[in-house]
Amino acid sequence: KQDEERFVAQARKLVRQANAYEVLPGLHANGALGVTENLADVGGIAFGYGALQRYLKAHPKENRKIDGLTQEQRCFIAWAQLWSEKSREGYLRQVTATDAHAPGNYRVWAPAQHEPGFYKAFGIRKGDPLWLDPKDRARIW
């Protein structure tokens, strides 16, 4: 029962975050519809970043900058590139109303906001555009 209550409380953070996102002017994401997929995205970036950290610990010579970017920065940039897309307004209106998957432009950055390593990798501080207050970050895994 306690685990269920904690899980639901953490999931509500993702619902609130998505509900606040304006896909198009006047059109907000449906947090309740997309919460399961958004949970999966938060878990995916957490597991991926964790795997990178374990790899770099075992292979310290690989922990070097490439093209001026740290391995941690490259991890989050690769995630963002995976989800970047360009969509027509009609399509965005349709998927926002019917699809449990958030639009790609939301998936680019929203899941990373729950991973502490994201803030460290880019030096994101309170007041920066991608800052999400720690009390609003979902911590499930």
Side-chain angles (χ1 to χ4, degrees), residues 2-14:
Q2 186 179 22
D3 288 342
E4 177 187 6
E5 289 171 359
R6 183 179 180 280
F7 178 84
V8 169
Q10 295 300 305
R12 281 190 190 122
K13 293 177 182 182
L14 298 178

Side-chain angles (χ1 to χ4, degrees), residues 102-124:
N105 55 359
Y106 178 79
R107 297 174 88 175
V108 162
W109 54 268
Q113 289 184 297
H114 300 275
E115 174 53 51
F118 177 64
Y119 298 88
K120 182 181 173 191
F122 293 102
I124 298 170

Side-chain angles (χ1 to χ4, degrees), residues 56-72:
L56 293 175
K57 186 175 181 180
H59 303 90
K61 290 183 180 178
E62 296 293 325
N63 196 2
R64 56 183 167 58
K65 287 185 177 184
I66 299 173
D67 295 331
L69 299 169
T70 67
Q71 296 296 332
E72 289 85 357

Side-chain angles (χ1 to χ4, degrees), residues 34-112:
V35 69
T36 56
E37 291 298 328
N38 293 337
L39 278 165
D41 284 350
V42 169
I45 195 68
F47 290 131
Y49 183 76
L52 173 65
Q53 292 305 303
R54 286 187 299 281
Y55 178 83
L56 293 175
K57 186 175 181 180
H59 303 90
K61 290 183 180 178
E62 296 293 325
N63 196 2
R64 56 183 167 58
K65 287 185 177 184
I66 299 173
D67 295 331
L69 299 169
T70 67
Q71 296 296 332
E72 289 85 357
Q73 290 171 329
R74 294 170 65 79
C75 173
F76 292 109
I77 290 169
W79 174 271
Q81 289 175 327
L82 170 71
W83 296 114
S84 63
E85 65 183 19
K86 186 172 182 176
S87 302
R88 293 182 181 267
E89 181 179 335
Y91 173 78
L92 284 173
R93 290 189 181 283
Q94 178 184 354
V95 297
T96 299
T98 62
D99 193 347
H101 297 88
N105 55 359
Y106 178 79
R107 297 174 88 175
V108 162
W109 54 268

Side-chain angles (χ1 to χ4, degrees), residues 7-26:
F7 178 84
V8 169
Q10 295 300 305
R12 281 190 190 122
K13 293 177 182 182
L14 298 178
V15 171
R16 283 193 300 273
Q17 180 187 29
N19 284 343
Y21 179 67
E22 198 170 30
V23 178
L24 294 167

